[in-house]
Amino acid sequence: MPGPSPARRKPAILARALKIIILRRWFLALSVLTVLLSISPASAQVCSVKTMESLGTVKIADLVSNASTSASTTAKIIYECPQDVVDMGGVICAYIEDNNGNVFYQGQPQKDSSLAWEGKFKSPDSNQDNVGAVKLKKGSRILEGRMDLTATYLPRANQSRVRAGTYTSTYSLVSVTYNDNTGEPDCYDLSKIKAHSRRVTTPFQLQAEVLTTCQLENKGEKDTFDPIDFGTRGALSAADAGAGAIRATTNIDVRCTYETPYTLDLNDGENFKDGTRRMKNGDNFLAYQLFNKTASGESSP
């Protein structure tokens, strides 16, 4: 019996080829699905920042003093971690991006001003600072851990031309998840932490307002001045002071926020009368005058 004609045989060949193409497409789709399913568990093994409090605006009123700290603010960070991280002895290490010895600088736009601050982390389970570690414990399906970030502005020795005004900068909090229970990582070793792949980055803003401040000081001591001592004089020489003035000097230093204009005024004292400053001893008075030496070396009342 004769076989099918060439005209009938051609559609059958096309149908088989179409089936092969469809099968190959299904095989390719299943392969892609398998790859996606193999990736998803790894992405779940990272702790994320659930909430981070605002650090607010830090008001720095006394930057010119030599205080050990000028001002600080603290924000609480809440982490959320999946159970598989907890079961494998999860640990979170955190640091701030662009770290330079944990000292960071904020600047004012178009001004040569630099304001320095230091970031420190603290967790309930660790006494470490500078960088923080939250050691996770087995618990509910999704565990929450807490860490505090404290931003402390540094004293004037660390500053450079700090003008009064508002300083605002955005930084990045980087949180790295370890779930290897072979040993807790050293969160002080930033080179190893930065090399780790399981990380999340959370931007945060820090704002500071430097207030206009001036203070009087002498030899670096605030509100301390050497007395103007005219020495011991006989009654006749003191009475004859108008013929040859008896002089004594002291220094009053003024320290201000950079480029802050100021004026320095002296009152007339307790015993002023008829346009004359006077010192008092019982019922007796001794007249004196105060002069200010200008930059040119001249003295003016």
Side-chain angles (χ1 to χ4, degrees):
M1 190 174 177
S5 65
R8 291 182 180 177
R9 196 178 305 159
K10 188 173 183 180
I13 294 172
L14 287 174
R16 284 196 296 271
L18 184 60
K19 288 180 182 179
I20 292 171
I21 293 172
I22 292 172
L23 287 174
R24 284 178 178 172
R25 284 178 179 173
W26 274 105
F27 178 74
L28 178 62
L30 288 172
S31 299
V32 172
L33 180 61
T34 303
V35 172
L36 291 175
L37 288 175
S38 65
I39 292 175
S40 59
S43 62
Q45 295 177 351
V46 177
C47 298
S48 60
V49 176
K50 183 179 180 181
T51 58
M52 182 175 180
E53 295 177 346
S54 172
L55 287 163
T57 300
V58 184
K59 291 186 180 296
I60 303 177
D62 192 17
L63 190 63
V64 300
S65 74
N66 271 320
S68 58
T69 56
S70 298
S72 62
T73 180
T74 300
K76 185 182 297 182
I77 307 166
I78 303 295
Y79 288 97
E80 189 174 69
C81 303
Q83 185 63 43
D84 56 353
V85 174
V86 181
D87 291 340
M88 298 180 72
V91 174
I92 300 173
C93 292
Y95 67 93
I96 301 173
E97 199 76 82
D98 299 329
N99 186 295
N100 181 18
N102 284 342
V103 176
F104 308 89
Y105 292 90
Q106 293 171 259
Q108 279 186 313
Q110 301 175 350
K111 288 186 178 180
D112 182 21
S113 282
S114 181
L115 182 64
W117 64 277
E118 182 180 44
K120 291 185 178 181
F121 293 99
K122 188 75 72 175
S123 69
D125 305 314
S126 173
N127 292 322
Q128 296 181 96
D129 55 13
N130 295 333
V131 287
V134 175
K135 191 172 183 179
L136 305 176
K137 301 176 182 178
K138 293 184 179 180
S140 59
R141 184 177 62 85
I142 295 180
L143 182 90
E144 291 182 358
R146 192 194 82 201
M147 183 185 293
D148 295 332
L149 167 61
T150 300
T152 301
Y153 285 90
L154 302 177
R156 71 177 188 221
N158 299 87
Q159 310 300 335
S160 173
R161 297 181 176 181
V162 181
R163 296 171 174 87
T166 301
Y167 295 73
T168 303
S169 296
T170 300
Y171 303 90
S172 294
L173 168 70
V174 182
S175 306
V176 180
T177 302
Y178 290 82
N179 62 358
D180 184 0
N181 56 9
T182 58
E184 184 174 334
D186 182 5
C187 287
Y188 282 101
D189 192 344
L190 285 179
S191 60
K192 291 183 179 179
I193 298 174
K194 290 181 178 181
H196 205 282
S197 60
R198 293 191 181 123
R199 69 184 62 232
V200 291
T201 302
T202 307
F204 69 94
Q205 190 178 73
L206 186 59
Q207 181 168 294
E209 182 182 356
V210 178
L211 305 181
T212 299
T213 308
C214 287
Q215 72 180 30
L216 300 177
E217 58 183 47
N218 180 254
K219 300 176 182 176
E221 296 294 329
K222 183 179 179 181
D223 296 333
T224 302
F225 311 105
D226 292 332
I228 304 176
D229 188 357
F230 290 99
T232 302
R233 303 287 175 174
L236 293 178
S237 64
D240 196 34
I246 301 171
R247 297 179 179 272
T249 61
T250 190
N251 293 319
I252 299 176
D253 299 329
V254 183
R255 187 188 298 276
C256 295
T257 309
Y258 186 63
E259 288 190 343
T260 296
Y262 70 91
T263 58
L264 183 62
D265 295 319
L266 299 175
N267 64 17
D268 293 324
E270 297 177 348
N271 306 299
F272 183 81
K273 185 178 180 180
D274 299 331
T276 302
R277 291 184 172 98
R278 303 185 303 170
M279 290 182 279
K280 182 180 179 180
N281 180 14
D283 294 331
N284 300 310
F285 297 90
L286 185 63
Y288 69 96
Q289 180 58 285
L290 295 177
F291 294 87
N292 176 41
K293 182 176 286 187
T294 63
S296 62
E298 298 178 355
S299 294
S300 61

